[in-house]
Amino acid sequence: MSAPEATPAVPPLSKTASLVRVGIAYACAIAAAAAWLLWGPATSTLLLDVLIADLIATVVIFIASRIHRNSSFYDAWWSVGPPLMAAWWWFAEGGGEPARFALLSVVLIAWSVRLTGNWAYGFPGLHHEDWRYREVRARAGRFAVLGDLFGIHVVPTLQVFAGMLAVYVVATRGSEPVGWLDLAAVVVGAGAVVIEAVADSQMHRFVRRRAPGEVMESGLWAWSRHPNYFGETMFWTALALFALAADPGAWWVVAGPAVMLVVFFGFSIPMMEKRSLERRPGYAEVVRRVSVFVPLPPRLG
């Protein structure tokens, strides 16, 4: 395996200047996606049209990340893109139950605003890049650019799009009135936003005061080693519940939370666990006592 890449060699920029550059890149990405949807050749379905537009936007962000040698350019697209896709599906085709789509939109926007805001709060600037991205490129060796494009940009875009299949169903089909399954979806979705918000807030406070090698094991993190991933999976499950309320036959919308679980347990969690065990001597004891995913009371003794 190739040696890990050095920290991206970009000129030091303030956080504000870095956010401006990311914002410009996202504006260009959204403009490119909109151009495709408005003037590009139409495909057989609106679902495929938006997928292509999403991939076009992803490529624009990838180009910006290569120019700045920092793949963290992509991070906020995870939460910025979904509301835009939902809005396009509703206004371009509609056909779903308006009250159900309104409830879904409240959950979706609350999640998007909170997660994007959390990213902006924790983003130190373009002098910093997520360590996992450097590892992905290092593993790819001489194919680092392809590892960057597909592993860091395209795969997460497809992952999120799988979750957005549920939103497409709610926006375009289903005349059943709002019922108990929609209310369950609201409860699960709101719970997901709260869990992620609390977990992130607790982690931010811990990071500000932690000593070298100290392990986070308080609050939600005393019940789950990855409560933010648990909350994220809850959110995509809520969208799937909305879709099943709109169309009980659309069983394939469970692909969204299922894909999230596969990526979290097959990639994200193992990478983070390995790093924590290597860098924090006390983490092995946390692994022994604390649930890896679902919040549960910590084991005693």
Short mmCIF file of all heavy atoms in Angstrom, two decimals, residues 17-65:
data_model
loop_
_atom_site.label_atom_id
_atom_site.label_comp_id
_atom_site.label_asym_id
_atom_site.label_seq_id
_atom_site.Cartn_x
_atom_site.Cartn_y
_atom_site.Cartn_z
N ALA A 17 -12.99 32.56 4.04
CA ALA A 17 -12.57 32.46 2.64
C ALA A 17 -12.77 31.04 2.12
O ALA A 17 -13.17 30.83 0.96
CB ALA A 17 -11.11 32.88 2.50
N SER A 18 -12.52 30.04 2.98
CA SER A 18 -12.71 28.66 2.57
C SER A 18 -14.18 28.36 2.31
O SER A 18 -14.53 27.72 1.32
CB SER A 18 -12.17 27.72 3.66
OG SER A 18 -10.79 27.89 3.86
N LEU A 19 -15.06 28.86 3.19
CA LEU A 19 -16.49 28.64 3.00
C LEU A 19 -16.99 29.32 1.73
O LEU A 19 -17.86 28.79 1.04
CB LEU A 19 -17.26 29.15 4.22
CG LEU A 19 -17.12 28.31 5.50
CD1 LEU A 19 -17.77 29.03 6.67
CD2 LEU A 19 -17.74 26.93 5.32
N VAL A 20 -16.43 30.50 1.43
CA VAL A 20 -16.81 31.19 0.20
C VAL A 20 -16.45 30.35 -1.01
O VAL A 20 -17.24 30.21 -1.96
CB VAL A 20 -16.15 32.57 0.13
CG1 VAL A 20 -16.29 33.17 -1.27
CG2 VAL A 20 -16.77 33.51 1.16
N ARG A 21 -15.27 29.75 -1.00
CA ARG A 21 -14.86 28.93 -2.14
C ARG A 21 -15.73 27.69 -2.28
O ARG A 21 -16.09 27.31 -3.40
CB ARG A 21 -13.39 28.53 -1.98
CG ARG A 21 -12.44 29.72 -2.10
CD ARG A 21 -11.04 29.27 -2.40
NE ARG A 21 -10.12 30.41 -2.46
CZ ARG A 21 -8.90 30.37 -2.99
NH1 ARG A 21 -8.45 29.23 -3.49
NH2 ARG A 21 -8.14 31.44 -3.01
N VAL A 22 -16.05 27.07 -1.16
CA VAL A 22 -16.94 25.92 -1.22
C VAL A 22 -18.31 26.35 -1.74
O VAL A 22 -18.92 25.67 -2.57
CB VAL A 22 -17.06 25.25 0.16
CG1 VAL A 22 -18.14 24.15 0.14
CG2 VAL A 22 -15.73 24.67 0.60
N GLY A 23 -18.80 27.51 -1.28
CA GLY A 23 -20.08 28.01 -1.73
C GLY A 23 -20.11 28.28 -3.23
O GLY A 23 -21.09 27.97 -3.91
N ILE A 24 -19.02 28.84 -3.75
CA ILE A 24 -18.93 29.10 -5.19
C ILE A 24 -18.95 27.79 -5.96
O ILE A 24 -19.64 27.66 -6.99
CB ILE A 24 -17.67 29.92 -5.51
CG1 ILE A 24 -17.80 31.33 -4.95
CG2 ILE A 24 -17.41 29.95 -7.02
CD1 ILE A 24 -16.52 32.14 -5.05
N ALA A 25 -18.21 26.80 -5.47
CA ALA A 25 -18.19 25.50 -6.13
C ALA A 25 -19.58 24.87 -6.14
O ALA A 25 -20.02 24.31 -7.16
CB ALA A 25 -17.19 24.57 -5.42
N TYR A 26 -20.31 25.00 -5.03
CA TYR A 26 -21.66 24.44 -4.98
C TYR A 26 -22.61 25.19 -5.89
O TYR A 26 -23.50 24.58 -6.52
CB TYR A 26 -22.17 24.45 -3.53
CG TYR A 26 -21.65 23.31 -2.70
CD1 TYR A 26 -20.40 22.74 -2.95
CD2 TYR A 26 -22.39 22.79 -1.66
CE1 TYR A 26 -19.91 21.69 -2.20
CE2 TYR A 26 -21.91 21.73 -0.89
CZ TYR A 26 -20.67 21.19 -1.16
OH TYR A 26 -20.21 20.15 -0.41
N ALA A 27 -22.46 26.50 -5.98
CA ALA A 27 -23.30 27.28 -6.90
C ALA A 27 -23.07 26.83 -8.34
O ALA A 27 -24.03 26.69 -9.12
CB ALA A 27 -23.01 28.76 -6.74
N CYS A 28 -21.81 26.60 -8.69
CA CYS A 28 -21.50 26.11 -10.04
C CYS A 28 -22.07 24.71 -10.26
O CYS A 28 -22.60 24.40 -11.35
CB CYS A 28 -19.99 26.09 -10.26
SG CYS A 28 -19.22 27.73 -10.30
N ALA A 29 -21.99 23.86 -9.24
CA ALA A 29 -22.52 22.50 -9.35
C ALA A 29 -24.03 22.52 -9.54
O ALA A 29 -24.57 21.80 -10.39
CB ALA A 29 -22.15 21.71 -8.09
N ILE A 30 -24.71 23.35 -8.76
CA ILE A 30 -26.17 23.45 -8.88
C ILE A 30 -26.56 24.02 -10.24
O ILE A 30 -27.52 23.56 -10.88
CB ILE A 30 -26.73 24.30 -7.74
CG1 ILE A 30 -26.53 23.58 -6.40
CG2 ILE A 30 -28.21 24.62 -7.95
CD1 ILE A 30 -26.80 24.44 -5.18
N ALA A 31 -25.81 25.00 -10.73
CA ALA A 31 -26.10 25.58 -12.04
C ALA A 31 -25.92 24.54 -13.14
O ALA A 31 -26.73 24.47 -14.08
CB ALA A 31 -25.19 26.78 -12.28
N ALA A 32 -24.86 23.74 -13.05
CA ALA A 32 -24.63 22.70 -14.06
C ALA A 32 -25.74 21.66 -14.03
O ALA A 32 -26.22 21.21 -15.08
CB ALA A 32 -23.27 22.04 -13.81
N ALA A 33 -26.17 21.26 -12.82
CA ALA A 33 -27.26 20.29 -12.71
C ALA A 33 -28.56 20.87 -13.27
O ALA A 33 -29.30 20.19 -13.99
CB ALA A 33 -27.43 19.89 -11.25
N ALA A 34 -28.84 22.13 -12.95
CA ALA A 34 -30.07 22.77 -13.45
C ALA A 34 -30.04 22.90 -14.96
O ALA A 34 -31.07 22.71 -15.64
CB ALA A 34 -30.22 24.15 -12.80
N ALA A 35 -28.87 23.20 -15.53
CA ALA A 35 -28.75 23.31 -16.98
C ALA A 35 -29.10 21.99 -17.65
O ALA A 35 -29.79 21.96 -18.69
CB ALA A 35 -27.34 23.75 -17.36
N TRP A 36 -28.63 20.90 -17.05
CA TRP A 36 -28.97 19.59 -17.61
C TRP A 36 -30.49 19.35 -17.55
O TRP A 36 -31.10 18.90 -18.53
CB TRP A 36 -28.24 18.49 -16.85
CG TRP A 36 -28.79 17.13 -17.15
CD1 TRP A 36 -29.75 16.46 -16.44
CD2 TRP A 36 -28.46 16.29 -18.27
NE1 TRP A 36 -30.04 15.26 -17.04
CE2 TRP A 36 -29.26 15.12 -18.16
CE3 TRP A 36 -27.57 16.41 -19.33
CZ2 TRP A 36 -29.18 14.08 -19.08
CZ3 TRP A 36 -27.49 15.37 -20.24
CH2 TRP A 36 -28.29 14.23 -20.12
N LEU A 37 -31.09 19.64 -16.40
CA LEU A 37 -32.51 19.37 -16.24
C LEU A 37 -33.38 20.25 -17.14
O LEU A 37 -34.42 19.82 -17.64
CB LEU A 37 -32.91 19.58 -14.77
CG LEU A 37 -32.36 18.55 -13.78
CD1 LEU A 37 -32.63 18.98 -12.35
CD2 LEU A 37 -32.97 17.17 -14.04
N LEU A 38 -32.94 21.49 -17.36
CA LEU A 38 -33.74 22.42 -18.16
C LEU A 38 -33.53 22.26 -19.66
O LEU A 38 -34.47 22.39 -20.44
CB LEU A 38 -33.43 23.86 -17.73
CG LEU A 38 -33.88 24.25 -16.33
CD1 LEU A 38 -33.30 25.60 -15.95
CD2 LEU A 38 -35.41 24.26 -16.25
N TRP A 39 -32.28 22.01 -20.06
CA TRP A 39 -31.96 22.03 -21.49
C TRP A 39 -31.28 20.77 -22.01
O TRP A 39 -31.10 20.63 -23.21
CB TRP A 39 -31.04 23.24 -21.79
CG TRP A 39 -31.69 24.54 -21.40
CD1 TRP A 39 -32.85 25.07 -21.90
CD2 TRP A 39 -31.24 25.46 -20.40
NE1 TRP A 39 -33.14 26.25 -21.28
CE2 TRP A 39 -32.17 26.53 -20.35
CE3 TRP A 39 -30.14 25.51 -19.55
CZ2 TRP A 39 -32.02 27.61 -19.49
CZ3 TRP A 39 -30.00 26.58 -18.68
CH2 TRP A 39 -30.93 27.62 -18.65
N GLY A 40 -30.93 19.87 -21.13
CA GLY A 40 -30.30 18.63 -21.57
C GLY A 40 -31.32 17.68 -22.18
O GLY A 40 -32.53 17.86 -22.01
N PRO A 41 -30.84 16.64 -22.87
CA PRO A 41 -31.77 15.65 -23.44
C PRO A 41 -32.48 14.88 -22.33
O PRO A 41 -31.85 14.37 -21.41
CB PRO A 41 -30.84 14.74 -24.26
CG PRO A 41 -29.49 14.91 -23.65
CD PRO A 41 -29.43 16.33 -23.17
N ALA A 42 -33.79 14.82 -22.41
CA ALA A 42 -34.58 14.13 -21.38
C ALA A 42 -34.43 12.62 -21.53
O ALA A 42 -34.26 12.09 -22.63
CB ALA A 42 -36.04 14.52 -21.49
N THR A 43 -34.46 11.92 -20.42
CA THR A 43 -34.44 10.46 -20.45
C THR A 43 -35.87 9.96 -20.34
O THR A 43 -36.83 10.73 -20.42
CB THR A 43 -33.61 9.92 -19.28
OG1 THR A 43 -34.26 10.24 -18.05
CG2 THR A 43 -32.21 10.54 -19.27
N SER A 44 -36.02 8.68 -20.10
CA SER A 44 -37.37 8.12 -20.04
C SER A 44 -38.08 8.44 -18.74
O SER A 44 -39.31 8.37 -18.67
CB SER A 44 -37.30 6.59 -20.23
OG SER A 44 -36.46 6.02 -19.23
N THR A 45 -37.34 8.77 -17.68
CA THR A 45 -37.98 9.03 -16.39
C THR A 45 -37.35 10.24 -15.71
O THR A 45 -36.16 10.52 -15.86
CB THR A 45 -37.86 7.82 -15.44
OG1 THR A 45 -36.49 7.64 -15.08
CG2 THR A 45 -38.38 6.55 -16.07
N LEU A 46 -38.15 10.92 -14.91
CA LEU A 46 -37.66 12.05 -14.13
C LEU A 46 -36.64 11.59 -13.10
O LEU A 46 -35.71 12.33 -12.76
CB LEU A 46 -38.83 12.75 -13.45
CG LEU A 46 -38.53 14.03 -12.68
CD1 LEU A 46 -37.94 15.09 -13.59
CD2 LEU A 46 -39.79 14.55 -12.00
N LEU A 47 -36.80 10.38 -12.60
CA LEU A 47 -35.86 9.83 -11.62
C LEU A 47 -34.46 9.77 -12.22
O LEU A 47 -33.47 10.19 -11.59
CB LEU A 47 -36.31 8.44 -11.19
CG LEU A 47 -35.49 7.78 -10.08
CD1 LEU A 47 -35.65 8.53 -8.77
CD2 LEU A 47 -35.93 6.32 -9.91
N LEU A 48 -34.35 9.26 -13.44
CA LEU A 48 -33.04 9.16 -14.09
C LEU A 48 -32.49 10.54 -14.44
O LEU A 48 -31.28 10.78 -14.34
CB LEU A 48 -33.15 8.29 -15.34
CG LEU A 48 -31.85 8.03 -16.11
CD1 LEU A 48 -30.80 7.40 -15.19
CD2 LEU A 48 -32.12 7.13 -17.32
N ASP A 49 -33.36 11.45 -14.85
CA ASP A 49 -32.91 12.82 -15.15
C ASP A 49 -32.21 13.43 -13.94
O ASP A 49 -31.13 14.04 -14.06
CB ASP A 49 -34.12 13.71 -15.51
CG ASP A 49 -34.68 13.39 -16.88
OD1 ASP A 49 -33.95 12.83 -17.71
OD2 ASP A 49 -35.87 13.70 -17.10
N VAL A 50 -32.81 13.28 -12.77
CA VAL A 50 -32.23 13.89 -11.56
C VAL A 50 -30.97 13.16 -11.14
O VAL A 50 -30.02 13.78 -10.64
CB VAL A 50 -33.28 13.92 -10.43
CG1 VAL A 50 -32.66 14.37 -9.11
CG2 VAL A 50 -34.42 14.86 -10.82
N LEU A 51 -30.91 11.84 -11.33
CA LEU A 51 -29.68 11.11 -11.02
C LEU A 51 -28.52 11.63 -11.86
O LEU A 51 -27.42 11.87 -11.35
CB LEU A 51 -29.88 9.61 -11.26
CG LEU A 51 -28.61 8.76 -11.13
CD1 LEU A 51 -27.99 8.90 -9.75
CD2 LEU A 51 -28.92 7.30 -11.45
N ILE A 52 -28.76 11.83 -13.14
CA ILE A 52 -27.70 12.36 -14.02
C ILE A 52 -27.30 13.76 -13.58
O ILE A 52 -26.11 14.09 -13.52
CB ILE A 52 -28.17 12.34 -15.49
CG1 ILE A 52 -28.36 10.90 -15.97
CG2 ILE A 52 -27.16 13.07 -16.38
CD1 ILE A 52 -29.01 10.78 -17.33
N ALA A 53 -28.29 14.58 -13.26
CA ALA A 53 -27.99 15.95 -12.79
C ALA A 53 -27.17 15.91 -11.51
O ALA A 53 -26.23 16.70 -11.33
CB ALA A 53 -29.29 16.71 -12.57
N ASP A 54 -27.51 15.01 -10.61
CA ASP A 54 -26.78 14.88 -9.35
C ASP A 54 -25.33 14.46 -9.61
O ASP A 54 -24.39 14.97 -8.97
CB ASP A 54 -27.48 13.84 -8.47
CG ASP A 54 -27.03 13.88 -7.02
OD1 ASP A 54 -26.38 14.87 -6.62
OD2 ASP A 54 -27.33 12.93 -6.28
N LEU A 55 -25.13 13.56 -10.55
CA LEU A 55 -23.77 13.12 -10.89
C LEU A 55 -22.98 14.24 -11.56
O LEU A 55 -21.77 14.38 -11.32
CB LEU A 55 -23.83 11.89 -11.79
CG LEU A 55 -24.31 10.60 -11.10
CD1 LEU A 55 -24.55 9.50 -12.12
CD2 LEU A 55 -23.29 10.14 -10.05
N ILE A 56 -23.65 15.05 -12.38
CA ILE A 56 -22.98 16.20 -12.99
C ILE A 56 -22.51 17.17 -11.91
O ILE A 56 -21.38 17.66 -11.93
CB ILE A 56 -23.92 16.90 -14.00
CG1 ILE A 56 -24.13 16.01 -15.22
CG2 ILE A 56 -23.37 18.28 -14.39
CD1 ILE A 56 -25.20 16.52 -16.17
N ALA A 57 -23.39 17.45 -10.95
CA ALA A 57 -23.01 18.33 -9.84
C ALA A 57 -21.84 17.74 -9.06
O ALA A 57 -20.91 18.47 -8.65
CB ALA A 57 -24.21 18.54 -8.91
N THR A 58 -21.85 16.44 -8.87
CA THR A 58 -20.76 15.77 -8.15
C THR A 58 -19.44 15.93 -8.88
O THR A 58 -18.39 16.17 -8.25
CB THR A 58 -21.10 14.28 -7.96
OG1 THR A 58 -22.30 14.16 -7.20
CG2 THR A 58 -19.97 13.55 -7.26
N VAL A 59 -19.46 15.82 -10.19
CA VAL A 59 -18.22 15.98 -10.97
C VAL A 59 -17.69 17.40 -10.85
O VAL A 59 -16.47 17.62 -10.75
CB VAL A 59 -18.46 15.59 -12.45
CG1 VAL A 59 -17.26 15.99 -13.32
CG2 VAL A 59 -18.72 14.09 -12.56
N VAL A 60 -18.59 18.38 -10.86
CA VAL A 60 -18.15 19.77 -10.69
C VAL A 60 -17.47 19.94 -9.33
O VAL A 60 -16.41 20.57 -9.21
CB VAL A 60 -19.35 20.74 -10.81
CG1 VAL A 60 -18.93 22.17 -10.45
CG2 VAL A 60 -19.92 20.70 -12.23
N ILE A 61 -18.06 19.37 -8.28
CA ILE A 61 -17.45 19.46 -6.95
C ILE A 61 -16.13 18.70 -6.92
O ILE A 61 -15.15 19.15 -6.29
CB ILE A 61 -18.43 18.91 -5.89
CG1 ILE A 61 -19.68 19.80 -5.83
CG2 ILE A 61 -17.76 18.85 -4.52
CD1 ILE A 61 -20.82 19.21 -5.02
N PHE A 62 -16.06 17.58 -7.60
CA PHE A 62 -14.80 16.83 -7.69
C PHE A 62 -13.70 17.67 -8.33
O PHE A 62 -12.56 17.68 -7.86
CB PHE A 62 -15.03 15.55 -8.49
CG PHE A 62 -13.76 14.86 -8.91
CD1 PHE A 62 -12.98 14.18 -7.98
CD2 PHE A 62 -13.36 14.89 -10.23
CE1 PHE A 62 -11.80 13.55 -8.37
CE2 PHE A 62 -12.18 14.25 -10.64
CZ PHE A 62 -11.40 13.58 -9.70
N ILE A 63 -14.04 18.38 -9.40
CA ILE A 63 -13.05 19.24 -10.05
C ILE A 63 -12.56 20.32 -9.09
O ILE A 63 -11.35 20.59 -9.00
CB ILE A 63 -13.65 19.87 -11.33
CG1 ILE A 63 -13.90 18.78 -12.38
CG2 ILE A 63 -12.73 20.96 -11.89
CD1 ILE A 63 -14.71 19.26 -13.57
N ALA A 64 -13.47 20.91 -8.34
CA ALA A 64 -13.08 21.92 -7.35
C ALA A 64 -12.18 21.31 -6.28
O ALA A 64 -11.20 21.92 -5.84
CB ALA A 64 -14.31 22.54 -6.71
N SER A 65 -12.49 20.09 -5.86
CA SER A 65 -11.68 19.44 -4.82
C SER A 65 -10.29 19.13 -5.35
O SER A 65 -9.30 19.21 -4.60
CB SER A 65 -12.37 18.17 -4.33
OG SER A 65 -12.28 17.12 -5.27
#
